[in-house]
Structure formats: C-alpha cells, structure tokens
Amino acid sequence: MFEQTDPNQIQLTHDGELKHFITTEGLSREILTDILDRADSFVDMSAKQVKKVPLLRGKTVVNLFFEASTRTLSTFELAAKRLSADVLNLNISTSSTKKGETLKDTLMTLHAMHSDMFVVRHSSSGAAHFIAEHVTPDVAVINAGDGRHAHPTQAMLDMLTIRQAKGAFEPLSVAIVGDILHSRVARSQIHALRTLGVSEIRVIAPNTLLPRDIESLGVKVFTNMQEGIKDVDVVMMLRLQKERMTSALLPSESEFYKLYGLTMDKLALAKPDAVVMHPGPINRGVEIASSVADGDRSLILDQVTNGIAVRMAVMSMAMSGQTKERSELTEAGEE
Amino acid sequence: MTSNALNANALYEKMRNELNALLAQGKRPEPLMIGIHTGGVWLAEKLHNDLEIEEELGVLDISFHRDDFEQSGLNPKVQQSKLPCSTEGRHIILVDDVIMSGRTIRAAMNELFDYGRPASVTLITLLDLQQRELPIQADIIGGTLAISPEQSVKLTGPEPLALEIRNRS
C-alpha cells in the first residue's frame, strides 16, 4: 500500500477538470455525467467508415501493465488508436523489473521518451495515484486497475451500459454479487452508482468475501442471494478472483455456484426486465450460468463495446486537462 | 458594407436563390444537405425545407477535428454528427452560418471524409468575413462583411434568424 492523499487534489485541475483518472470516489455527478455524454458521442463513431478522430494525434500513450490483462489492455489500446495516438504496450512483469529496475526508474525512463499518458495497471493499491502524485505529475495517468482499490474505467463503462439500457439512474435498485472483498471493480462501481444517484445499492456475498467496512459505503448487505436479488433492476456479477484467494475463503467452487451463481432460477426473482452484467472474463458455471451469460438480458458484450468509448472519453478529457494546465504554466513562466 | 449587410433574411434569400439556380442546372443530382453545428444546422433546416430536398438532412459536429486542441483542449459541448446515409458518391451541400478563417470548414471536410468519398462538396454560407487563413472559398454566400479584430458575428435563431455584431471582451 502506498500513502494516500485526497485523490481529487491530484486528478483534477484547479478549474475542476480531469487531468488524471485515478478513482471514481469523490468525483462530482457533473464530471461522471460528462464522461458518459462524451462516451456516447464516441459510441456513435461506429457508423463511420473511418473509426478514428485526430484528438490525440502526435501524443504518445504508454500502456503500463504490471499485471496481466487481455480485455482491458486491448480496449485501452484500441481507444488510444481511435484517438490517433501512438501507443506503446509494456508488459512490465516480463520486462525490466525482472532485471531489478524499480518502478520509479522505469517511469522516469518512459518520461524521458516524452510520453504524454500512462495507462497503469498494478497489483498494489494506490500505484496509479503514487505515479500521478510523485513521479510524473505532468503525464496524464489513467488507472486501469490498482490492487483491491479501484478500476474506474470499468465502473464508468458499466454506468454507460446501465444508462443505455435503463435511461435514468434515480429509480434503480442495483445488486453487486460475488467476490466483493478482492474486487476493485465493486468499489469503483459503488462510488459511481452513489454519485449518480441510484435509489438502492445491494451487495450480495458470503461473509468471507465481504470487506469489514463495506456498509460504510452506503450499501445494503445480503448474504442470501435469493433475498438480495429480489426485485432489482440491474444485477452486476463479479468474477471470482481465484488468483487473489490466498487463504481458504470458500469451501469449493461448486458450493459457491450453488449459493451465489447467477442461474435462470435466481434471475427470475429480480424484476422481469432486469439486466445482467459482468466485467469479464467469465467463469462459466462458477459465478454465472451459460444460459444467463448468453441470454437476451445479458449486456456483457455491450460492456466490452462501451469500454472503448468510455476509455476514449476519459483519455481525451485527461489529455485536455493536462494540455490546458501545461499551456497556463508556460504562459505564467513567460510573464 | 451595405446597410442591410446584417439583415439575415435578405442574406438568406440571396443565398437560397443562388443555390436554387445552381441545383436547377442539374449538375448536383440528389444532393445531400449537411449543416454544421449550430448556426449552419438552422440555415440548413430552412434551406432543406424551402428547396424541398428529398434526402434527409445531415448534421455535422466538428469538435473532434478542430485544430486548437493544443491551445484550448476539448470543446466543452460536443454534439453528435448524424448523417442519414453514406456520403459515398454523393453531392454534398455543406451549410454554415459564417466563414472567416476557413478552419471550421477544413475540420468539417475532415469529419465528412470519415464517412466516405463524396462525388462533390459545395459550400454555402450566409456571411463571408473575408479573413481567410486557409485556401478555402465558399461557392455561394449571402453577403460579405468587414469587421475589426475586436468584433465577432453571431447568428441567433433558429426562429427568427438574426445576425449580431459582438465586441469581444
């Protein structure tokens, strides 16, 4: 864990615009809505023959993945390319850290190559925050997942998917189901859902997969899936993070599936028009049944499509904030 | 500058009549009319209606193609470009309210070409402020106006359409 200061002192310019994107926590409803509106205009780009805009032309975006990922890395890469940026993908776990280079040295090296944006995924909570604050404050930093802390672009693509399916957030009751304890996605979702004003957020999980402080985030806790899922509008499943399970928190995967796996029977308890989401990759038969994942109420593939649009929105906004702040600093220096 | 230089309706009528004459020559069959946000869309709606153009109207937002991202960042209000069909092989009538430096039209053509390769593009604007910074000219204009560097011209509308000269603060 790294030391934490208020993230909004770091991720916003003095005019209140985004210049890094570290967490959804503490961001205003205006900014979250702005991200969704901009993402909407990028969703429409699919009608074009040329699916590209020149907003980040001449900028260099470095995808710094200290932790493996296929979907997040590839959608970030596509988003940057559709904004016309030059993109470098670095899989650090197989690179120089093996030769003993520190995080700071790696970043300073990339900084010297005149990078304009770092997209960071790291297994330590607070890594993106640390980089934005201490290492390279003049490079826009986008958090692509840090430890158990946050995964803000995932949360925002989920919000976009909900808004497309349901319209307004206010009347909705949303359930988040599964491995809350290890899930940075769940935390970012809860902050975003609260700020966007949904009427109720429920978390459904066995006691062993619930963080102790979870109720302080303003959610209702259920350990019984049948009770928790009753009459909700949106069911957001989480992946069972086998690679993060360090101790025996679960009796077995089949036991988990029996109690918390989303099957057609359990989904029938939610509202008749309830939709199902999952951040992927899916463990079929562990947290979700194939009939549900592939069914007509599943928005799982819409989430992937929206991921590109949301990442384009966040990247262009952060670059815009950085650019403005930099040109103000230059002007101040000239006077 | 004439006394009716800012009479938006008179400028509009001149522009509409010239476009009507051009279309009557038959060199721009089945035109696809496209307005540029926001003033250009108001004018295009009016022209589209008055000239009874069959193909649905398109609207273009040029925010993503502006050339001042380095100076001013993202446009705070991005609208959505919506074209009723592919531009491939079509005769485009591009409508904007004012042409000055030519940068908006440069950006609009970039956005337009992302949708396909049109057969032709005809540019029509209500007012030409004649301070070109790029080699771009309108095919049809309602009128010309000389303004000082401290001034700008703003079209208000959509109903009624009016032009006003503003002093930059």
Side-chain angles (χ1 to χ4, degrees):
Chain A
M1 275 280 217
F2 296 98
E3 289 265 326
Q4 292 281 303
T5 49
D6 176 6
N8 287 319
Q9 287 176 7
I10 293 158
Q11 63 181 351
L12 299 180
T13 66
H14 58 86
D15 292 332
E17 287 179 36
L18 219 53
K19 63 172 177 171
H20 303 290
F21 191 44
I22 310 291
T23 173
T24 51
E25 184 178 0
L27 284 179
S28 66
R29 188 184 287 200
E30 285 69 34
I31 288 196
L32 297 189
T33 308
D34 197 17
I35 293 172
L36 298 181
D37 290 348
R38 284 188 197 279
D40 261 338
S41 61
F42 290 121
V43 170
D44 281 6
M45 266 181 49
S46 53
K48 291 196 199 182
Q49 276 189 11
V50 180
K51 294 171 183 51
K52 229 174 157 102
V53 293
L55 282 175
L56 298 193
R57 199 169 55 139
K59 307 284 187 195
T60 304
V61 174
V62 183
N63 287 322
L64 280 168
F65 280 58
F66 296 87
E67 199 182 66
S69 151
T70 314
R71 165 180 339 236
T72 306
L73 176 61
S74 50
T75 50
F76 263 112
E77 181 178 356
L78 262 184
K81 285 181 170 167
R82 290 194 180 162
L83 291 167
S84 309
D86 296 316
V87 188
L88 188 62
N89 291 333
L90 287 183
N91 197 337
I92 308 283
S93 55
T94 60
S95 171
S96 43
T97 43
K98 286 226 173 113
K99 301 177 189 161
E101 194 177 42
T102 66
L103 172 65
K104 190 173 173 183
D105 286 334
T106 305
L107 288 160
M108 294 317 286
T109 305
L110 293 165
H111 189 242
M113 295 179 195
H114 300 289
S115 307
D116 298 286
M117 179 177 285
F118 291 147
V119 176
V120 182
R121 166 167 290 202
H122 201 286
S123 57
S124 295
S125 301
H129 184 121
F130 174 81
I131 293 166
E133 185 172 17
H134 298 294
V135 188
T136 53
D138 56 341
V139 173
V141 176
I142 310 289
N143 186 0
D146 62 329
R148 297 183 187 184
H149 172 244
H151 194 352
T153 57
Q154 176 68 45
M156 290 314 292
L157 75 88
D158 294 335
M159 298 306 116
L160 184 66
T161 310
I162 293 176
R163 193 170 81 165
Q164 282 171 354
K166 296 288 177 190
F169 287 99
E170 286 80 3
L172 300 181
S173 174
V174 180
I176 303 173
V177 187
D179 183 1
I180 315 280
L181 179 67
H182 297 94
S183 180
R184 53 195 174 207
V185 175
R187 272 166 227 275
S188 289
Q189 285 170 337
I190 290 167
H191 290 300
L193 286 167
R194 268 181 68 188
T195 307
L196 290 167
V198 296
S199 78
E200 187 184 36
I201 306 169
R202 304 179 185 180
V203 296
I204 306 171
N207 271 319
T208 48
L209 293 180
L210 279 167
R212 247 175 263 148
D213 58 343
I214 190 74
E215 270 156 328
S216 67
L217 295 178
V219 299
K220 271 190 207 162
V221 176
F222 291 85
T223 50
N224 179 307
M225 176 111 170
Q226 276 79 0
E227 285 170 23
I229 203 171
K230 200 168 180 302
D231 294 330
V232 298
D233 300 279
V234 181
V235 186
M236 303 173 90
M237 299 303 296
L238 297 170
R239 186 173 65 89
L240 201 60
Q241 307 211 11
K242 296 180 216 166
E243 72 277 20
R244 285 184 226 278
M245 300 273 181
T246 43
S247 51
L249 297 171
L250 285 175
S252 73
E253 283 177 8
S254 61
E255 183 79 357
F256 181 82
Y257 183 65
K258 210 172 119 199
L259 293 171
Y260 297 99
L262 187 62
T263 55
M264 282 296 190
D265 290 350
K266 293 192 191 109
L267 183 58
L269 300 169
K271 287 220 182 107
D273 61 348
V275 291
V276 176
M277 293 160 61
H278 189 300
I282 309 171
N283 293 319
R284 289 172 188 265
V286 178
E287 68 251 351
I288 190 164
S290 281
S291 55
V292 176
D294 305 328
D296 55 1
R297 285 152 77 181
S298 161
L299 301 178
I300 296 172
L301 292 176
D302 300 82
Q303 289 174 272
V304 179
T305 309
N306 287 338
I308 299 172
V310 159
R311 284 163 184 142
M312 288 175 76
V314 169
M315 288 171 129
S316 54
M317 287 169 76
M319 193 64 89
S320 170
Q322 280 285 346
T323 305
K324 274 199 218 170
E325 197 160 81
R326 221 177 295 167
S327 65
E328 279 167 21
L329 283 175
T330 317
E331 273 168 37
E334 280 165 4
E335 275 165 16
Chain B
M1 179 169 39
T2 57
S3 60
N4 70 344
L6 282 189
N7 181 337
N9 286 326
L11 295 174
Y12 171 79
E13 275 168 33
K14 176 171 177 285
M15 183 174 93
R16 184 198 58 204
N17 293 342
E18 284 185 28
L19 179 60
N20 201 15
L22 180 85
L23 294 180
Q25 291 171 11
K27 288 179 190 161
R28 301 279 185 264
E30 296 172 32
L32 169 60
M33 184 170 275
I34 296 174
I36 299 174
H37 269 296
T38 312
V41 175
W42 297 335
L43 290 166
E45 279 169 351
K46 213 161 140 81
L47 286 167
H48 188 262
N49 193 31
D50 288 359
L51 300 179
E52 295 173 351
I53 291 172
E54 271 179 38
E55 185 70 71
E56 219 181 301
L57 185 69
V59 298
L60 214 54
D61 183 88
I62 59 142
S63 303
F64 295 143
H65 287 273
R66 287 162 62 108
D67 58 11
D68 54 1
F69 184 77
E70 281 298 323
Q71 288 83 42
S72 26
L74 273 182
N75 200 340
K77 256 209 165 136
V78 178
Q79 315 264 356
Q80 290 171 10
S81 290
K82 277 213 168 74
L83 301 188
C85 57
S86 163
T87 57
E88 194 71 33
R90 298 298 298 265
H91 293 281
I92 310 288
I93 310 291
L94 190 60
V95 185
D96 204 4
D97 47 1
V98 174
I99 182 166
M100 191 162 120
S101 65
R103 288 179 192 268
T104 300
I105 305 303
R106 198 279 308 159
M109 292 217 279
N110 276 49
E111 170 84 5
L112 198 56
F113 275 72
D114 285 354
Y115 289 87
R117 181 180 184 271
S120 72
V121 180
T122 302
L123 175 62
I124 160 164
T125 69
L126 191 63
L127 200 58
D128 184 349
L129 300 180
Q130 297 180 310
Q131 294 176 23
R132 217 70 86 239
E133 292 162 5
L134 297 173
I136 289 173
Q137 306 303 334
D139 298 283
I140 293 173
I141 51 170
T144 60
L145 180 72
I147 57 168
S148 69
E150 300 83 53
Q151 292 176 318
S152 67
V153 176
K154 175 96 184 144
L155 181 74
T156 58
E159 213 36 74
L161 287 172
L163 281 163
E164 50 183 74
I165 295 185
R166 291 179 178 179
N167 287 310
R168 293 180 208 271
S169 49

